[in-house]
Amino acid sequence: MTSATAESLDEETSTIADRVFGQVRQAIVEGQIPAGSKLSEPALAARYGISRGPLREAMRRLESTNLVERRPNLGARVITLSNDELLEIYVIREALEGMAARIAAERMSDAAISDLKGLLEQHRREVARADWQTYFQEEGDLDFHFRIVQGSGNRRLIDILCNDLYHLARMYRCQFGMKSDRAADALKEHELVADAIAERDGELAEWLMRRHIRASRRAIERRLAVER
Amino acid sequence: MTSATAESLDEETSTIADRVFGQVRQAIVEGQIPAGSKLSEPALAARYGISRGPLREAMRRLESTNLVERRPNLGARVITLSNDELLEIYVIREALEGMAARIAAERMSDAAISDLKGLLEQHRREVARADWQTYFQEEGDLDFHFRIVQGSGNRRLIDILCNDLYHLARMYRCQFGMKSDRAADALKEHELVADAIAERDGELAEWLMRRHIRASRRAIERRLAVER
DNA sequence: TCCGGACCAAGTGTCGACAATCATGACATC
DNA sequence: GATGTCATGATTGTCGACACTTGGTCCGGA
C-alpha cells in the first residue's frame, strides 16, 4: 500500500516540518482526519510532539498542495470534497496524462515497457480471480498511471500529477468506498494504452489515455447522479 | 503591467508572510534577485523588515511554486533556468491550455468572448504600429492566454497555470530578452483560437491552441539552438 | 422575548533566542 | 607540497512567549 507515491519512503528526513508534512498528508488522504474538519495548530503540534513553527510550515505546504484551505486569522480546514472539484481533477488528468502517454510512447525505455506489461499481466490475474479485491485493483490503477507519467520523463509533469492530483484522487477513493464496477473495462483500456506505447504510437496512446480517463470520469458522474 | 497575475492586488493582505511571498516572488520573476543566487534568511528578513518566522513560510510557498529550491540545512536558492525545463513547461502548457480552450469554447459567456475579441483588436493595433514594443505584445500574449484559462472555469486548472506556470514563463521572459520575431504570427494564431471559441467549436479550439503553443515552443528551440 | 454592545477566551500571527548543522579557513602531519 | 583534521563562524532548524484578531457569550435595554 501507498506504493505509488513519490517520495513515500522519506522517513528520517532531516527536517521535522517535512516529516510531519508527510504524516499529516497521509492522515488526511486516508481519512483519519475527516474532511472539512478544523486543523488546530496547538492540537496538531501536541499530537505530533513538535512546536508550532515547523507545523505551520507543514501547513503551508499542505495548503499549496490543495489539501487544506487557510484563511487568515481563521485557521486551516481540511478541504471539503465537492463533486465538481473531483470532476475538475479528472479533466486535468485527461489533459496531462494524455500528454504523458504521448511522450512516454516516444521516450520510454524498452525495459520500462516490459515492466509495464508485466504489471498489467499481474493485474489481469488479480481481476480474474478476485472480484472482492477491487481495492487492490484500484491501487494498481494508480500504479499503472504512475508508471506512464514517470515514463514521460517530464519532471514538472511528474510533480504535478504525483505530488498533487494523485493524493487528491486517493483521498476521494478513501472517502467514499469507490466500489468500481469498471475494473475489467479499465484493465482492458490500460492494455490498449500499453500496446500503443509499445508500438511507439504517441498519437494513439494519447487518444486512448484520454478516452480512458474520460470513461472513468463518466462512471463517476453516473454514480454521483444515482446517489443524489 | 503585471496585469495578468492572479491575486495581484493583494496589498494589505492581513498576514505578513503572504505579502512578502508576493514581493519576493515578484523580485525573483523580474530578475531583481538573480537566478541561482542563494536566499539567506537573515538577509531577506532584514531587507523586508520582518522576522524569520513569516519569511520561512513565504519560502515554503515559493518552494511549492517551484521558484526556489531548498535543501535541508543548506538553504534556499533561486531556481536556475535550464533550457530543458523551459521546454517542459511548454509541453504542459500545450496540454493544459488546449483543454482550457476546449472547455472555454463550451462554457465561456458571450460577453467574455466579446471582451476577448476586443483585446485582440487592441493587440492588432499595437502590433501594426509598433515593432519595438514587443514587450507589451508579450505581456498581451499572457493576457490572452490568461483569459482563455479563466474562461474554462476550472478552478484547479486556473490555479496551476496562473499561479505557477505563468510566473515561470514571465521569469524566463525577463531573464533572457525574449525578443519575439513571432508577434505577428502569434497574433494571427490567437485570432484563430478566438474564432473557434466564438463558434463554440471546442475540438478545433483545442487543436489550434495546442498548435499555437507548440509553435511557440519550436521558436524557442530554434533560438536556443542558434545561441548555442 | 429579542436585539445590541461589551467582555472574555481561544487561537492565530509574529518575534526573539537557543541548539544543531554545515561551510570555510588555518594548522599539523605525511 | 599535498592532504587530512580541527576549530571557528555563520546559517538553518526549532522552540517558547507575546500581541492581535476572531468568535462566542453574557448582560442590559427596548
Side-chain angles (χ1 to χ4, degrees):
Chain A
M1 55 213 70
T2 77
S3 56
T5 67
E7 52 155 340
S8 67
L9 301 179
D10 51 3
E11 298 307 318
E12 234 38 54
T13 46
S14 49
T15 160
I16 291 183
D18 290 332
R19 179 172 53 81
V20 63
F21 163 74
Q23 290 176 338
V24 175
R25 179 175 65 179
Q26 184 174 351
I28 291 177
V29 167
E30 296 180 357
Q32 300 171 18
I33 301 178
S37 64
K38 188 173 187 313
L39 292 175
S40 165
E41 293 182 5
L44 279 183
R47 170 172 175 179
Y48 290 100
I50 63 173
S51 175
R52 279 182 50 218
L55 186 116
R56 281 177 66 88
E57 297 187 19
M59 301 283 272
R60 269 261 147 64
R61 277 189 72 179
L62 286 172
E63 179 188 17
S64 63
T65 63
N66 295 293
L67 279 174
V68 307
E69 289 174 332
R70 287 188 71 173
R71 277 183 300 184
N73 296 317
L74 213 147
R77 311 190 77 88
V78 179
I79 195 176
T80 60
L81 317 147
S82 89
N83 296 340
D84 288 341
E85 288 205 1
L86 176 59
L87 298 178
E88 284 184 0
I89 290 174
Y90 271 81
V91 168
I92 295 177
R93 282 186 60 187
E94 178 186 334
L96 249 28
E97 296 197 31
M99 178 63 79
R102 173 187 287 265
I103 305 175
E106 302 166 355
R107 302 220 291 233
M108 216 170 175
S109 73
D110 292 330
I113 293 177
S114 292
D115 284 355
L116 185 66
K117 293 226 163 191
L119 180 73
L120 288 183
E121 185 67 31
Q122 173 189 338
H123 287 173
R124 197 179 314 153
R125 284 193 301 269
E126 291 178 357
V127 170
R129 75 154 187 277
D131 30 342
W132 48 272
Q133 273 188 345
T134 54
Y135 169 74
F136 290 110
Q137 158 59 22
E138 288 293 343
E139 283 295 321
D141 174 81
L142 271 192
D143 251 4
F144 171 79
H145 289 269
F146 182 78
R147 297 207 189 190
I148 303 284
V149 173
Q150 289 281 346
S152 76
N154 186 319
R155 284 158 295 185
R156 192 167 299 269
L157 192 55
I158 295 170
D159 179 68
I160 294 175
L161 284 167
C162 298
N163 290 336
D164 286 3
L165 299 186
Y166 284 172
H167 288 289
L168 263 299
R170 257 171 52 87
M171 181 175 173
Y172 277 93
R173 183 166 300 163
C174 294
Q175 205 74 16
F176 328 119
M178 282 295 163
K179 52 170 192 339
S180 127
D181 51 349
R182 237 177 64 76
D185 292 341
L187 178 58
K188 183 62 183 170
E189 292 161 9
H190 286 183
E191 288 171 345
L192 289 178
V193 172
D195 287 342
I197 290 178
E199 293 176 15
R200 304 299 184 181
D201 190 337
E203 189 173 347
L204 180 60
E206 172 168 12
W207 192 82
L208 288 170
M209 178 64 94
R210 287 184 65 158
R211 202 181 61 150
H212 165 56
I213 296 179
R214 213 153 43 216
S216 297
R217 196 192 66 207
R218 294 224 178 93
I220 293 175
E221 281 180 335
R222 280 196 301 272
R223 191 174 329 142
L224 293 178
V226 168
E227 286 177 356
R228 190 163 311 162
Chain B
M1 52 216 71
T2 77
S3 55
T5 67
E7 51 152 345
S8 67
L9 300 179
D10 50 3
E11 299 308 318
E12 234 39 52
T13 46
S14 48
T15 161
I16 291 185
D18 290 332
R19 178 171 53 83
V20 61
F21 163 74
Q23 290 176 337
V24 175
R25 179 175 66 179
Q26 183 174 351
I28 290 177
V29 167
E30 297 181 354
Q32 300 170 18
I33 300 179
S37 64
K38 187 174 187 309
L39 292 175
S40 166
E41 293 182 5
L44 279 183
R47 170 172 173 178
Y48 291 100
I50 63 174
S51 175
R52 278 182 51 219
L55 186 117
R56 281 176 68 87
E57 297 187 18
M59 301 284 271
R60 281 271 192 228
R61 277 189 72 179
L62 286 172
E63 179 189 16
S64 63
T65 62
N66 294 292
L67 280 174
V68 307
E69 290 174 332
R70 287 187 69 171
R71 277 183 299 185
N73 296 317
L74 214 145
R77 312 189 74 89
V78 179
I79 196 177
T80 59
L81 318 145
S82 88
N83 296 339
D84 288 341
E85 288 206 2
L86 176 58
L87 298 178
E88 284 183 359
I89 290 173
Y90 271 81
V91 169
I92 295 177
R93 282 187 59 186
E94 179 186 335
L96 249 31
E97 297 197 30
M99 179 63 80
R102 172 187 289 264
I103 304 174
E106 301 165 357
R107 304 219 291 232
M108 217 170 174
S109 73
D110 292 332
I113 293 178
S114 292
D115 284 354
L116 185 66
K117 293 227 164 192
L119 181 74
L120 287 183
E121 184 67 32
Q122 173 189 339
H123 287 172
R124 196 179 313 150
R125 285 195 297 271
E126 292 177 358
V127 169
R129 73 154 187 279
D131 30 342
W132 48 273
Q133 271 187 345
T134 55
Y135 169 74
F136 291 110
Q137 160 59 22
E138 289 291 342
E139 284 296 320
D141 174 82
L142 271 194
D143 251 4
F144 172 79
H145 288 269
F146 182 78
R147 297 208 188 189
I148 303 284
V149 173
Q150 289 283 344
S152 76
N154 186 318
R155 281 157 296 184
R156 191 166 301 269
L157 192 56
I158 295 170
D159 180 67
I160 295 176
L161 283 167
C162 298
N163 290 336
D164 286 5
L165 299 185
Y166 284 173
H167 288 288
L168 262 301
R170 257 171 52 86
M171 181 175 173
Y172 276 94
R173 184 167 299 165
C174 293
Q175 205 74 14
F176 328 120
M178 282 293 164
K179 51 169 194 340
S180 124
D181 51 349
R182 237 177 63 76
D185 291 342
L187 178 59
K188 183 63 183 169
E189 292 161 8
H190 285 182
E191 288 172 344
L192 288 178
V193 172
D195 287 343
I197 291 178
E199 292 175 15
R200 304 298 185 181
D201 190 336
E203 188 174 348
L204 179 61
E206 172 168 14
W207 192 84
L208 289 170
M209 177 65 93
R210 287 184 64 157
R211 201 180 63 148
H212 165 54
I213 296 179
R214 213 153 44 219
S216 297
R217 196 191 67 208
R218 295 224 177 94
I220 293 175
E221 280 179 336
R222 279 197 300 273
R223 194 175 325 144
L224 294 177
V226 169
E227 287 177 355
R228 191 163 309 163

